[in-house]
Amino acid sequence: MEPILQVKNLSVSFQSRDSEFHAVRGVSFELNKGETLGIVGESGSGKSVTARSIMRLLPSPPSFMKEGEILFLGDNLADKTEKEMESIRGRDMGMIFQDPMTSLNPTIKIGEQIAESLIKHQKLSQKEAKKQALDMLKLVGISNSETRYNQYPHEFSGGMRQRVMIAIALACRPSLLIADEPTTALDVTIQAQILNLMKDMQERFGTSIILITHDLGVVAGMCDRVAVMKDGVIVETGTTEEIFDNPQHPYTLKLLNALPRLHEKKKPKPTPLILTDKDRERPLLEVRGLKQHFDMGKGNVLKAVNDISFHIQAGETLGLVGESGSGKSTTGRAILRLHQPTGGEVLYQGMAVNRLTGSEMKTMRRYMQMIFQDPYASLNPRLKIVDIIGEALDVHKLSGSKQERRKRVEELLDMVGLNPAFANRYPHEFSGGQRQRIGIARALAVEPKFIVCDEPLSALDVSIQSQIVKLLEELQQQLGLTYLFIAHDLSMVKHISDRVAVMYMGKIVELAESEELYSNPQHDYTKSLLSAIPIPDPKVESKKKRVLMEERTGADQYNLEHSELVEVSKGHWVAQPISTSA
């Protein structure tokens, strides 16, 4: 059978004022009808440039195609005019973008954005297009489609917006679907739903899929063949089983070895030598009955964090996991008083943080710091790195002369594995992993004892993730740091955490030592989270059964609100209904 897509010797460059950057060099591959090809590699490897070149979506200038052919259904897309491509996009080729919020028009209703493609390419009337758009919403698992049709993108969750993107991409039943990092930064449960949906749509319509991702666990469960990209070149290609069972290229091996594996035993973590017996006498941090409620207006109250309690020992890492909206990040912010807690207590070395005055809290922040999820958004783009890190030294009066300040910033950059000479650069001159290291350096500047790590690995490549985790562990050993590690990537959480707490709808539903929780989960929600984690093994992934939670109801909220943590075995706590018997 003739392949539906043939990319031959594709080379794409970007021209700047004084240089040319070769983003893609001599890339060739084929895609058959109904097949899924995974293109994997780290950020900057050329995956997305390849995908956008196929769709002819790269701006020209500065980009230009140096050579090659893109044969789609026998036609060379490289020869098509922009007007001809407009008729092909949406009708014959669809694309799911990485960030649906920036890809959806915030001023147009969701249903109208789906109908737009049907009206343009299939010449349907408004009434018929609306009917088919409603059918697509139901098909991608969005209930109450009549109401949802008239809502705007900001009224949908991240997973729901991605479903809408799939509905738009598949509305005209295209032959080819390109999914560019469609599950990056989504929770594992939502990711599992999106991947199942793509598989289902493929079976229904016979669509061919190019899946671009850096998550090899996703590739194992989705793809028939895999192409591995590095520095704009495909360095290895083969069936999914061949790539996972017998990788040939050192780079492929590096990607596979960087993956955390749930079945592997956690290596024992040495206790930081800097800590004394006095440090271990009582918990460094205690959270007692913490509540964080938000007034949503019209009498509605969002109970983001609803009466949770836990403690963290000095030198310990407590992992806090759960899907988006479970209350993880709000918990971290309430502990640090970035939100003023509605109720409960936060004790740092016995001192009630929630009762401190503004000036006292400013002093306390020297001992309690935060590493934010998006290092680019949290770094001032107008300041050089020396001033971003140095600002914390200035606020707490920890720097003397300008030379001493500079020297301390360079020491911190060296500590997190960056060249001290980078101090004079701006944030946009760094990669995502480097920016996260700068965020860590800034947090360390005031010599804290406790750090809230709020999704520090989100959207980073697996190899960069493993580097950041290794860095955090080394710093913990050297400096005696204590972490609250917030994440939705449960594989990585297991390896960095001593204990793990699972949050669901504002409550902690299970808490245990990491090895115990992963090997013997007790709560249904924990089982659902663990079953949704993609396993980087095609044989295992094809046989795995996922335990999906039912849709949340008011009864679920009531049952959680009237539950308490009960110790079911030593150190293993699970939420159970409060007994109402006398």
Side-chain angles (χ1 to χ4, degrees), residues 348-402:
Y348 176 82
Q349 291 187 328
M351 185 181 298
V353 174
N354 49 305
R355 296 180 195 166
L356 298 178
T357 65
S359 60
E360 289 171 335
M361 193 62 217
K362 181 180 175 181
T363 303
M364 176 59 75
R365 291 198 196 285
R366 184 181 167 186
Y367 306 102
M368 305 170 73
Q369 281 287 308
M370 191 169 199
I371 300 168
F372 293 92
Q373 178 174 355
D374 184 350
Y376 195 70
S378 62
L379 299 177
N380 190 327
R382 298 184 178 185
L383 294 182
K384 292 180 178 179
I385 302 307
V386 65
D387 296 317
I388 288 174
I389 299 174
E391 187 177 32
L393 299 171
D394 299 338
V395 168
H396 292 279
K397 297 180 172 56
L398 297 175
S399 59
S401 66
K402 195 173 181 180

Short mmCIF file of all heavy atoms in Angstrom, two decimals, residues 348-402:
data_model
loop_
_atom_site.label_atom_id
_atom_site.label_comp_id
_atom_site.label_asym_id
_atom_site.label_seq_id
_atom_site.Cartn_x
_atom_site.Cartn_y
_atom_site.Cartn_z
N TYR A 348 6.27 26.08 62.10
CA TYR A 348 7.65 25.88 61.65
C TYR A 348 8.53 25.89 62.91
O TYR A 348 8.61 26.90 63.60
CB TYR A 348 8.08 26.97 60.68
CG TYR A 348 9.54 26.86 60.26
CD1 TYR A 348 9.91 25.98 59.25
CD2 TYR A 348 10.54 27.60 60.90
CE1 TYR A 348 11.24 25.85 58.87
CE2 TYR A 348 11.87 27.47 60.52
CZ TYR A 348 12.22 26.60 59.51
OH TYR A 348 13.54 26.46 59.14
N GLN A 349 9.15 24.75 63.21
CA GLN A 349 9.93 24.58 64.44
C GLN A 349 9.12 25.07 65.65
O GLN A 349 9.64 25.73 66.56
CB GLN A 349 11.26 25.34 64.35
CG GLN A 349 12.22 24.72 63.34
CD GLN A 349 13.59 25.36 63.36
OE1 GLN A 349 13.72 26.56 63.64
NE2 GLN A 349 14.62 24.58 63.06
N GLY A 350 7.84 24.72 65.66
CA GLY A 350 6.97 25.07 66.78
C GLY A 350 6.37 26.46 66.72
O GLY A 350 5.49 26.79 67.54
N MET A 351 6.80 27.29 65.77
CA MET A 351 6.29 28.66 65.68
C MET A 351 5.11 28.72 64.70
O MET A 351 5.20 28.20 63.58
CB MET A 351 7.40 29.59 65.19
CG MET A 351 7.01 31.07 65.17
SD MET A 351 8.36 32.10 64.55
CE MET A 351 9.63 31.79 65.77
N ALA A 352 3.99 29.33 65.13
CA ALA A 352 2.78 29.41 64.31
C ALA A 352 2.97 30.44 63.20
O ALA A 352 2.89 31.65 63.44
CB ALA A 352 1.58 29.77 65.17
N VAL A 353 3.21 29.96 61.97
CA VAL A 353 3.48 30.84 60.83
C VAL A 353 2.28 31.71 60.51
O VAL A 353 2.41 32.89 60.16
CB VAL A 353 3.89 30.00 59.60
CG1 VAL A 353 4.04 30.86 58.35
CG2 VAL A 353 5.19 29.23 59.87
N ASN A 354 1.07 31.14 60.64
CA ASN A 354 -0.14 31.87 60.27
C ASN A 354 -0.48 33.01 61.22
O ASN A 354 -1.37 33.82 60.94
CB ASN A 354 -1.33 30.91 60.16
CG ASN A 354 -1.49 30.00 61.35
OD1 ASN A 354 -0.55 29.29 61.70
ND2 ASN A 354 -2.65 30.01 61.98
N ARG A 355 0.24 33.11 62.35
CA ARG A 355 -0.04 34.19 63.30
C ARG A 355 1.01 35.30 63.25
O ARG A 355 0.93 36.26 64.01
CB ARG A 355 -0.08 33.63 64.73
CG ARG A 355 -1.23 32.64 64.97
CD ARG A 355 -1.21 32.14 66.39
NE ARG A 355 -2.04 30.95 66.55
CZ ARG A 355 -2.01 30.17 67.61
NH1 ARG A 355 -1.19 30.43 68.61
NH2 ARG A 355 -2.81 29.11 67.67
N LEU A 356 2.00 35.16 62.39
CA LEU A 356 3.07 36.15 62.33
C LEU A 356 2.59 37.45 61.68
O LEU A 356 1.73 37.44 60.79
CB LEU A 356 4.26 35.60 61.53
CG LEU A 356 4.94 34.35 62.09
CD1 LEU A 356 6.07 33.92 61.16
CD2 LEU A 356 5.48 34.58 63.49
N THR A 357 3.15 38.57 62.13
CA THR A 357 2.87 39.86 61.50
C THR A 357 3.60 39.94 60.16
O THR A 357 4.43 39.07 59.84
CB THR A 357 3.34 41.01 62.39
OG1 THR A 357 4.78 40.94 62.50
CG2 THR A 357 2.71 40.94 63.78
N GLY A 358 3.33 40.98 59.39
CA GLY A 358 3.96 41.15 58.08
C GLY A 358 5.47 41.19 58.16
O GLY A 358 6.17 40.52 57.39
N SER A 359 6.01 41.96 59.11
CA SER A 359 7.47 42.06 59.25
C SER A 359 8.07 40.76 59.75
O SER A 359 9.17 40.36 59.32
CB SER A 359 7.84 43.22 60.19
OG SER A 359 7.29 43.00 61.47
N GLU A 360 7.35 40.07 60.64
CA GLU A 360 7.84 38.77 61.14
C GLU A 360 7.84 37.73 60.02
O GLU A 360 8.75 36.89 59.93
CB GLU A 360 6.97 38.30 62.30
CG GLU A 360 7.14 39.11 63.58
CD GLU A 360 6.11 38.76 64.65
OE1 GLU A 360 5.01 38.28 64.29
OE2 GLU A 360 6.40 38.99 65.84
N MET A 361 6.82 37.79 59.16
CA MET A 361 6.72 36.84 58.05
C MET A 361 7.84 37.08 57.04
O MET A 361 8.38 36.14 56.45
CB MET A 361 5.36 36.97 57.37
CG MET A 361 5.05 35.83 56.41
SD MET A 361 4.97 34.23 57.24
CE MET A 361 5.71 33.16 56.00
N LYS A 362 8.21 38.34 56.85
CA LYS A 362 9.32 38.66 55.95
C LYS A 362 10.60 37.99 56.44
O LYS A 362 11.37 37.44 55.64
CB LYS A 362 9.50 40.17 55.88
CG LYS A 362 10.62 40.61 54.94
CD LYS A 362 10.75 42.13 54.92
CE LYS A 362 11.94 42.57 54.09
NZ LYS A 362 12.09 44.05 54.09
N THR A 363 10.82 38.02 57.74
CA THR A 363 11.99 37.36 58.32
C THR A 363 11.89 35.85 58.16
O THR A 363 12.87 35.17 57.82
CB THR A 363 12.13 37.71 59.82
OG1 THR A 363 12.21 39.13 59.95
CG2 THR A 363 13.37 37.06 60.42
N MET A 364 10.68 35.31 58.37
CA MET A 364 10.46 33.86 58.27
C MET A 364 10.74 33.34 56.86
O MET A 364 11.19 32.21 56.69
CB MET A 364 9.02 33.53 58.69
CG MET A 364 8.63 32.06 58.55
SD MET A 364 9.68 30.95 59.54
CE MET A 364 9.04 31.28 61.17
N ARG A 365 10.49 34.18 55.85
CA ARG A 365 10.69 33.73 54.46
C ARG A 365 12.14 33.39 54.16
O ARG A 365 12.43 32.74 53.16
CB ARG A 365 10.18 34.78 53.48
CG ARG A 365 8.67 34.93 53.49
CD ARG A 365 8.16 35.63 52.25
NE ARG A 365 6.78 36.09 52.44
CZ ARG A 365 5.72 35.30 52.43
NH1 ARG A 365 5.88 34.01 52.23
NH2 ARG A 365 4.52 35.80 52.62
N ARG A 366 13.03 33.84 55.01
CA ARG A 366 14.43 33.45 54.83
C ARG A 366 14.60 31.95 55.05
O ARG A 366 15.49 31.32 54.46
CB ARG A 366 15.32 34.23 55.81
CG ARG A 366 16.77 33.91 55.55
CD ARG A 366 17.73 34.59 56.46
NE ARG A 366 19.03 33.96 56.30
CZ ARG A 366 20.08 34.24 57.02
NH1 ARG A 366 20.01 35.15 57.97
NH2 ARG A 366 21.23 33.62 56.82
N TYR A 367 13.75 31.38 55.88
CA TYR A 367 13.88 29.95 56.22
C TYR A 367 12.95 29.06 55.41
O TYR A 367 13.11 27.85 55.39
CB TYR A 367 13.61 29.76 57.73
CG TYR A 367 14.47 30.65 58.58
CD1 TYR A 367 13.96 31.82 59.14
CD2 TYR A 367 15.82 30.36 58.80
CE1 TYR A 367 14.77 32.67 59.90
CE2 TYR A 367 16.62 31.18 59.55
CZ TYR A 367 16.09 32.34 60.09
OH TYR A 367 16.89 33.18 60.83
N MET A 368 11.96 29.67 54.76
CA MET A 368 10.97 28.91 53.98
C MET A 368 10.90 29.52 52.57
O MET A 368 10.51 30.67 52.42
CB MET A 368 9.59 28.98 54.66
CG MET A 368 9.59 28.52 56.10
SD MET A 368 8.02 28.89 56.93
CE MET A 368 6.96 27.67 56.17
N GLN A 369 11.27 28.75 51.57
CA GLN A 369 11.31 29.27 50.21
C GLN A 369 10.51 28.37 49.26
O GLN A 369 10.02 27.31 49.65
CB GLN A 369 12.76 29.36 49.73
CG GLN A 369 13.50 30.58 50.27
CD GLN A 369 13.04 31.87 49.62
OE1 GLN A 369 13.01 31.99 48.40
NE2 GLN A 369 12.69 32.85 50.45
N MET A 370 10.39 28.83 48.01
CA MET A 370 9.59 28.10 47.02
C MET A 370 10.30 28.06 45.67
O MET A 370 10.89 29.05 45.25
CB MET A 370 8.22 28.76 46.86
CG MET A 370 7.21 27.95 46.07
SD MET A 370 5.56 28.69 46.25
CE MET A 370 4.52 27.31 45.76
N ILE A 371 10.24 26.90 45.02
CA ILE A 371 10.66 26.75 43.62
C ILE A 371 9.38 26.62 42.81
O ILE A 371 8.58 25.71 43.04
CB ILE A 371 11.55 25.52 43.42
CG1 ILE A 371 12.81 25.62 44.28
CG2 ILE A 371 11.93 25.37 41.94
CD1 ILE A 371 13.60 24.33 44.35
N PHE A 372 9.16 27.55 41.88
CA PHE A 372 7.88 27.62 41.18
C PHE A 372 7.84 26.70 39.97
O PHE A 372 8.86 26.28 39.44
CB PHE A 372 7.60 29.07 40.75
CG PHE A 372 7.37 30.00 41.90
CD1 PHE A 372 8.44 30.71 42.46
CD2 PHE A 372 6.11 30.16 42.44
CE1 PHE A 372 8.25 31.57 43.53
CE2 PHE A 372 5.91 31.02 43.52
CZ PHE A 372 6.97 31.72 44.06
N GLN A 373 6.60 26.41 39.52
CA GLN A 373 6.36 25.48 38.42
C GLN A 373 6.94 25.98 37.11
O GLN A 373 7.61 25.24 36.40
CB GLN A 373 4.86 25.25 38.27
CG GLN A 373 4.50 24.33 37.12
CD GLN A 373 3.02 24.01 37.09
OE1 GLN A 373 2.27 24.40 37.98
NE2 GLN A 373 2.58 23.29 36.09
N ASP A 374 6.70 27.24 36.78
CA ASP A 374 7.15 27.79 35.50
C ASP A 374 8.28 28.78 35.77
O ASP A 374 8.03 29.93 36.12
CB ASP A 374 5.98 28.50 34.79
CG ASP A 374 6.38 29.00 33.40
OD1 ASP A 374 7.58 28.98 33.09
OD2 ASP A 374 5.48 29.42 32.65
N PRO A 375 9.52 28.35 35.59
CA PRO A 375 10.64 29.24 35.92
C PRO A 375 10.72 30.46 35.02
O PRO A 375 11.27 31.49 35.42
CB PRO A 375 11.87 28.34 35.73
CG PRO A 375 11.43 27.29 34.77
CD PRO A 375 9.98 27.06 35.04
N TYR A 376 10.16 30.37 33.81
CA TYR A 376 10.22 31.53 32.92
C TYR A 376 9.26 32.61 33.41
O TYR A 376 9.59 33.79 33.42
CB TYR A 376 9.89 31.14 31.48
CG TYR A 376 10.29 32.22 30.50
CD1 TYR A 376 11.64 32.49 30.25
CD2 TYR A 376 9.35 33.00 29.85
CE1 TYR A 376 12.02 33.49 29.38
CE2 TYR A 376 9.71 34.00 28.97
CZ TYR A 376 11.07 34.24 28.74
OH TYR A 376 11.44 35.24 27.88
N ALA A 377 8.06 32.20 33.84
CA ALA A 377 7.07 33.17 34.32
C ALA A 377 7.48 33.78 35.65
O ALA A 377 7.08 34.89 35.98
CB ALA A 377 5.70 32.50 34.45
N SER A 378 8.26 33.05 36.44
CA SER A 378 8.62 33.55 37.78
C SER A 378 9.96 34.30 37.79
O SER A 378 10.36 34.81 38.83
CB SER A 378 8.68 32.38 38.77
OG SER A 378 9.67 31.44 38.40
N LEU A 379 10.64 34.35 36.64
CA LEU A 379 11.88 35.12 36.55
C LEU A 379 11.60 36.41 35.79
O LEU A 379 11.02 36.39 34.71
CB LEU A 379 12.97 34.31 35.82
CG LEU A 379 13.39 32.98 36.45
CD1 LEU A 379 14.41 32.27 35.55
CD2 LEU A 379 13.95 33.17 37.84
N ASN A 380 12.00 37.54 36.34
CA ASN A 380 11.76 38.83 35.70
C ASN A 380 12.56 38.93 34.40
O ASN A 380 13.80 38.93 34.42
CB ASN A 380 12.17 39.97 36.65
CG ASN A 380 11.71 41.33 36.15
OD1 ASN A 380 11.65 41.59 34.96
ND2 ASN A 380 11.38 42.21 37.08
N PRO A 381 11.87 39.01 33.25
CA PRO A 381 12.59 38.98 31.96
C PRO A 381 13.46 40.21 31.72
O PRO A 381 14.32 40.21 30.85
CB PRO A 381 11.46 38.91 30.93
CG PRO A 381 10.27 39.51 31.61
CD PRO A 381 10.41 39.15 33.05
N ARG A 382 13.25 41.28 32.53
CA ARG A 382 14.01 42.52 32.32
C ARG A 382 15.28 42.58 33.17
O ARG A 382 16.07 43.51 33.02
CB ARG A 382 13.13 43.72 32.65
CG ARG A 382 11.91 43.84 31.74
CD ARG A 382 11.12 45.09 32.03
NE ARG A 382 9.98 45.22 31.13
CZ ARG A 382 9.19 46.28 31.11
NH1 ARG A 382 9.41 47.29 31.93
NH2 ARG A 382 8.17 46.32 30.27
N LEU A 383 15.42 41.62 34.08
CA LEU A 383 16.59 41.63 34.97
C LEU A 383 17.60 40.58 34.53
O LEU A 383 17.24 39.50 34.06
CB LEU A 383 16.18 41.36 36.42
CG LEU A 383 15.31 42.41 37.13
CD1 LEU A 383 15.05 41.97 38.57
CD2 LEU A 383 15.98 43.78 37.11
N LYS A 384 18.87 40.89 34.73
CA LYS A 384 19.92 39.89 34.52
C LYS A 384 19.89 38.90 35.69
O LYS A 384 19.38 39.21 36.78
CB LYS A 384 21.29 40.57 34.45
CG LYS A 384 21.48 41.43 33.20
CD LYS A 384 22.86 42.07 33.18
CE LYS A 384 23.06 42.89 31.91
NZ LYS A 384 24.39 43.55 31.88
N ILE A 385 20.47 37.74 35.47
CA ILE A 385 20.45 36.69 36.49
C ILE A 385 21.13 37.16 37.78
O ILE A 385 20.67 36.85 38.89
CB ILE A 385 21.13 35.40 35.95
CG1 ILE A 385 20.43 34.92 34.68
CG2 ILE A 385 21.15 34.32 37.01
CD1 ILE A 385 18.93 34.75 34.79
N VAL A 386 22.19 37.95 37.65
CA VAL A 386 22.89 38.44 38.84
C VAL A 386 21.95 39.27 39.73
O VAL A 386 22.05 39.24 40.95
CB VAL A 386 24.14 39.26 38.44
CG1 VAL A 386 23.75 40.54 37.69
CG2 VAL A 386 24.99 39.58 39.66
N ASP A 387 20.99 39.97 39.12
CA ASP A 387 20.06 40.79 39.89
C ASP A 387 18.85 40.00 40.35
O ASP A 387 18.28 40.28 41.41
CB ASP A 387 19.62 42.00 39.06
CG ASP A 387 20.78 42.93 38.74
OD1 ASP A 387 21.59 43.17 39.66
OD2 ASP A 387 20.90 43.39 37.59
N ILE A 388 18.44 38.98 39.58
CA ILE A 388 17.31 38.13 39.99
C ILE A 388 17.68 37.39 41.28
O ILE A 388 16.90 37.35 42.24
CB ILE A 388 16.94 37.14 38.88
CG1 ILE A 388 16.26 37.88 37.72
CG2 ILE A 388 16.04 36.04 39.41
CD1 ILE A 388 15.99 37.03 36.50
N ILE A 389 18.87 36.80 41.30
CA ILE A 389 19.31 36.07 42.50
C ILE A 389 19.75 37.05 43.59
O ILE A 389 19.46 36.86 44.77
CB ILE A 389 20.45 35.09 42.14
CG1 ILE A 389 19.96 34.06 41.11
CG2 ILE A 389 20.99 34.40 43.39
CD1 ILE A 389 21.04 33.15 40.58
N GLY A 390 20.42 38.11 43.16
CA GLY A 390 20.92 39.10 44.13
C GLY A 390 19.83 39.85 44.86
O GLY A 390 20.02 40.31 45.99
N GLU A 391 18.64 39.95 44.24
CA GLU A 391 17.52 40.65 44.87
C GLU A 391 17.16 40.03 46.22
O GLU A 391 16.87 40.73 47.20
CB GLU A 391 16.31 40.61 43.94
CG GLU A 391 15.14 41.44 44.41
CD GLU A 391 13.99 41.42 43.41
OE1 GLU A 391 13.82 40.38 42.73
OE2 GLU A 391 13.29 42.43 43.31
N ALA A 392 17.17 38.69 46.28
CA ALA A 392 16.86 38.00 47.54
C ALA A 392 17.91 38.33 48.61
O ALA A 392 17.58 38.51 49.79
CB ALA A 392 16.81 36.49 47.31
N LEU A 393 19.17 38.44 48.20
CA LEU A 393 20.24 38.81 49.14
C LEU A 393 20.03 40.22 49.66
O LEU A 393 20.25 40.51 50.84
CB LEU A 393 21.60 38.69 48.45
CG LEU A 393 22.00 37.31 47.93
CD1 LEU A 393 23.27 37.40 47.08
CD2 LEU A 393 22.22 36.34 49.09
N ASP A 394 19.59 41.11 48.76
CA ASP A 394 19.36 42.51 49.16
C ASP A 394 18.20 42.62 50.15
O ASP A 394 18.30 43.33 51.16
CB ASP A 394 19.05 43.36 47.93
CG ASP A 394 20.19 43.37 46.92
OD1 ASP A 394 21.33 43.08 47.34
OD2 ASP A 394 19.95 43.68 45.74
N VAL A 395 17.10 41.92 49.88
CA VAL A 395 15.91 42.01 50.72
C VAL A 395 16.22 41.59 52.16
O VAL A 395 15.76 42.22 53.12
CB VAL A 395 14.77 41.14 50.14
CG1 VAL A 395 13.63 40.97 51.15
CG2 VAL A 395 14.24 41.76 48.85
N HIS A 396 17.02 40.54 52.30
CA HIS A 396 17.33 40.02 53.63
C HIS A 396 18.68 40.51 54.16
O HIS A 396 19.18 40.00 55.16
CB HIS A 396 17.29 38.48 53.62
CG HIS A 396 15.91 37.93 53.40
ND1 HIS A 396 15.00 37.84 54.42
CD2 HIS A 396 15.29 37.49 52.28
CE1 HIS A 396 13.87 37.33 53.95
NE2 HIS A 396 14.01 37.11 52.65
N LYS A 397 19.23 41.53 53.46
CA LYS A 397 20.48 42.17 53.90
C LYS A 397 21.59 41.14 54.14
O LYS A 397 22.28 41.16 55.16
CB LYS A 397 20.23 42.99 55.17
CG LYS A 397 19.24 44.15 54.95
CD LYS A 397 19.03 44.94 56.22
CE LYS A 397 18.20 46.20 55.96
NZ LYS A 397 16.89 45.95 55.35
N LEU A 398 21.75 40.24 53.16
CA LEU A 398 22.77 39.20 53.28
C LEU A 398 23.99 39.49 52.40
O LEU A 398 24.94 38.71 52.40
CB LEU A 398 22.18 37.84 52.87
CG LEU A 398 21.03 37.33 53.75
CD1 LEU A 398 20.46 36.04 53.19
CD2 LEU A 398 21.52 37.09 55.18
N SER A 399 23.92 40.57 51.63
CA SER A 399 25.06 40.90 50.77
C SER A 399 25.71 42.19 51.26
O SER A 399 25.03 43.11 51.71
CB SER A 399 24.59 41.08 49.32
OG SER A 399 23.62 42.10 49.23
N GLY A 400 27.01 42.23 51.19
CA GLY A 400 27.75 43.42 51.61
C GLY A 400 27.97 44.33 50.42
O GLY A 400 27.05 44.97 49.91
N SER A 401 29.20 44.37 49.94
CA SER A 401 29.54 45.20 48.79
C SER A 401 29.01 44.57 47.50
O SER A 401 28.57 43.42 47.48
CB SER A 401 31.05 45.36 48.69
OG SER A 401 31.66 44.10 48.39
N LYS A 402 29.10 45.32 46.42
CA LYS A 402 28.66 44.83 45.11
C LYS A 402 29.48 43.62 44.69
O LYS A 402 28.96 42.66 44.09
CB LYS A 402 28.80 45.96 44.09
CG LYS A 402 28.06 45.73 42.79
CD LYS A 402 28.11 46.97 41.90
CE LYS A 402 27.35 46.73 40.60
NZ LYS A 402 27.38 47.91 39.72
#
